[in-house]
Amino acid sequence: MQEAPPSYDAPSFPSAPPSYGGGAPQAPPPGYPGAPPGQPGVAFAGPPQPGYPSPGPTNTGPTGPDVMDNPGMAESLPSAPSLDKMDDIGGYSGTSFNSVAAAPPAYEEALQQGPPERGPITSVPVINEEQAREALQQFVSQHCCYGKGPVRQMTFRDLKSSSAFHYMLETFSESRSTTWAYEPFVGQAIDGPQYGPAPGPWDIQAEPQVKFQDAEKHLEVPHTASVKPCHTCAGVCRVRCDHCHGNGRTICSTCGGSGREQYFHEGQHRHRKCNYCHGDGRLRCFRCQGHGQVPCKSCNAKGQLKCYIKLTIKWKKHMDDHIVERTSLPDDLIRSVSGQTAFEEEAPLVWAVTHFPDQTINQASRQLVDRHRTAYNMERILLQRHRVRIVPVTEVISNYKGKDFNYFVFGFENIVHAPDYPAKCCGCVIL
């Protein structure tokens, strides 16, 4: 007697206030301190906050002798601000500049009312000798080095028809993670903690555009933004050039700084003024154009940063399958052809198949459904669907010039698998 699956309760997905939908920052109310008249939704940064250096030149002067010119040297990448300069946002104390996964809330599963009614499983059609010959003829026509003699002259000894079963389980899940992020402040609206507590990562509304399709979305967590002086340039908008170390000049790589280059003429080594640096031995830094400073990349030369917590939402489809095929036909070939869908179900959480005539499929369904229940602990299951396809398979036993050879015809397309075809003109191997 089939053991009944355990009971599960219905899922209750949290809903968020409408103002959180889509992740757009909420406009500050009129009268916000620091907002100029007529612009109640914009907050401008004031003086540097405690713990930040006062605005002024940082790392702007030369640090030593000129360095060798290297046009291929990569530019330095902006660094992230120190975490101790970030605001303390309730519920996000563990957030860093590296992505931190947010554990999904507990929810109840929807299996209380038992499995749905399932109709009977119908059989698939089988092919006859004429269709088996036509399928082989089509197969041979696609291979220029295969002779057509066996197609015309072979005799059929037997056609063994069977069915392959293909069970597929798909789980559509959602994961959420948070990280501190920053961008140049150019006067955009700042939705900070003064407008209320920040909602939790799973309290923000977001819906996937397409079910069972991988997607990713980034949102600003409401009430987490603030404006801070740029940590890289301390608000002065420029930093020392990392190519020339602030000198504005580099050593000519052609002459090594001597201003002279060697050449060979009439059997002798001679010297002349370097054509690249015109005898100076030094070159103007191509990166800073000789100024010794370059625009700050962290703030895009604006001097201030908008810092906020970024929510990353990922939707992912997990798929597992199981094939039951009891002939020598490779199982993987069953995935590539069409068949008859015996049944298909979609639900927040599906019941394992228990009514299929082949018990191997029932067992595989139970195992895969149980595995998907527990395999994605940091993801929330939104939807599941599973199906069983029945794929017709016919093993054709034939004779050509007194020798037996077998081939397979499978799928509704009547695809042929004939690795032992007897009239190959070369050493082709058909997968």
Side-chain angles (χ1 to χ4, degrees):
M1 183 175 179
Q2 184 68 41
E3 183 180 349
S7 62
Y8 298 86
D9 298 323
S12 56
F13 296 97
S15 60
S19 60
Y20 297 156
Q26 184 177 337
Y32 168 59
Q39 300 187 48
V42 179
F44 293 91
Q49 301 188 11
Y52 274 86
S54 299
T58 60
N59 299 328
T60 55
T63 59
D66 293 337
V67 294
M68 185 69 72
D69 179 62
N70 180 13
M73 185 182 73
E75 296 184 65
S76 60
L77 298 175
S79 62
S82 174
L83 282 176
D84 60 6
K85 303 298 190 298
M86 297 296 102
D87 294 338
D88 185 12
I89 305 295
Y92 292 89
S93 58
T95 303
S96 68
F97 281 97
N98 296 317
S99 180
V100 178
Y107 64 97
E108 299 174 340
E109 302 175 345
L111 293 176
Q112 280 187 335
Q113 298 179 356
E117 290 188 15
R118 291 163 173 169
I121 304 299
T122 59
S123 60
V124 295
V126 297
I127 65 172
N128 54 33
E129 291 184 1
E130 182 180 355
Q131 292 171 316
R133 191 184 299 272
E134 290 177 356
L136 185 62
Q137 183 176 4
Q138 178 67 22
F139 168 76
V140 171
S141 68
Q142 297 171 355
H143 298 82
C144 61
C145 57
Y146 277 29
K148 298 181 180 179
V151 178
R152 302 191 190 100
Q153 303 171 25
M154 69 178 180
T155 57
F156 293 99
R157 294 183 55 196
D158 194 10
L159 273 68
K160 296 182 177 180
S161 297
S162 61
S163 295
F165 307 125
H166 185 196
Y167 174 76
M168 293 172 287
L169 171 64
E170 296 172 283
T171 294
F172 188 50
S173 64
E174 176 182 325
S175 63
R176 299 193 175 197
S177 60
T178 57
T179 179
W180 275 106
Y182 64 92
E183 61 188 40
F185 176 67
V186 293
Q188 63 268 45
I190 300 299
D191 180 14
Q194 65 271 23
Y195 301 117
W202 290 92
D203 294 330
I204 300 173
Q205 279 188 328
E207 299 292 337
Q209 292 185 347
V210 182
K211 297 186 299 183
F212 295 101
Q213 181 173 305
D214 290 359
E216 186 171 323
K217 189 173 186 178
H218 302 279
L219 301 173
E220 177 183 330
V221 177
H223 311 330
T224 62
S226 60
V227 176
K228 299 183 181 299
C230 177
H231 60 285
T232 302
C233 67
V236 298
C237 306
R238 300 180 68 84
V239 295
R240 186 183 68 220
C241 175
D242 60 357
H243 182 251
C244 66
H245 295 179
N247 293 311
R249 290 157 52 93
T250 57
I251 299 173
C252 176
S253 57
T254 301
C255 65
S258 67
R260 297 166 60 81
E261 61 180 352
Q262 189 181 66
Y263 69 101
F264 191 76
H265 181 68
E266 296 181 350
Q268 295 183 349
H269 290 284
R270 302 185 180 186
H271 290 83
R272 63 187 175 193
K273 183 172 66 174
C274 177
N275 289 325
Y276 195 59
C277 65
H278 304 291
D280 188 40
R282 300 292 185 272
L283 298 169
R284 185 174 65 176
C285 176
F286 73 92
R287 190 160 290 170
C288 67
Q289 300 300 311
H291 298 295
Q293 296 181 343
V294 294
C296 177
K297 289 184 178 180
S298 296
C299 63
N300 197 22
K302 301 302 180 183
Q304 293 179 306
L305 298 173
K306 172 189 173 181
C307 299
Y308 61 94
I309 293 178
K310 180 176 69 175
L311 173 67
T312 299
I313 305 175
K314 293 181 180 181
W315 292 281
K316 188 172 181 61
K317 183 185 77 171
H318 303 278
M319 200 277 283
D320 278 309
D321 67 346
H322 185 82
I323 295 174
V324 177
E325 208 289 306
R326 293 186 171 89
T327 71
S328 58
L329 180 71
D331 290 352
D332 287 345
L333 297 179
I334 298 299
R335 294 189 179 93
S336 61
V337 296
S338 61
Q340 176 176 299
T341 300
F343 87 99
E344 182 174 8
E345 292 175 350
E346 181 177 304
L349 290 162
V350 297
W351 280 75
V353 176
T354 58
H355 70 301
F356 201 75
D358 191 299
Q359 289 302 313
T360 307
I361 288 294
N362 295 333
Q363 181 180 1
S365 177
R366 286 195 299 270
Q367 292 174 348
L368 292 181
V369 168
D370 289 344
R371 183 192 305 171
H372 279 221
R373 290 278 198 274
T374 58
Y376 314 113
N377 293 329
M378 296 303 292
E379 302 173 25
R380 184 168 203 181
I381 296 176
L382 301 180
L383 202 59
Q384 287 185 315
R385 68 183 176 193
H386 60 169
R387 67 175 68 91
V388 176
R389 295 190 310 124
I390 304 178
V391 178
V393 177
T394 299
E395 183 177 7
V396 181
I397 304 172
S398 60
N399 185 279
Y400 174 65
K401 292 185 177 181
K403 293 184 179 180
D404 290 344
F405 82 94
N406 299 358
Y407 65 95
F408 292 92
V409 182
F410 61 99
F412 284 173
E413 302 89 346
N414 284 347
I415 303 298
V416 168
H417 175 69
D420 300 324
Y421 188 73
K424 298 178 184 178
C425 300
C426 66
C428 294
V429 177
I430 303 301
L431 300 178

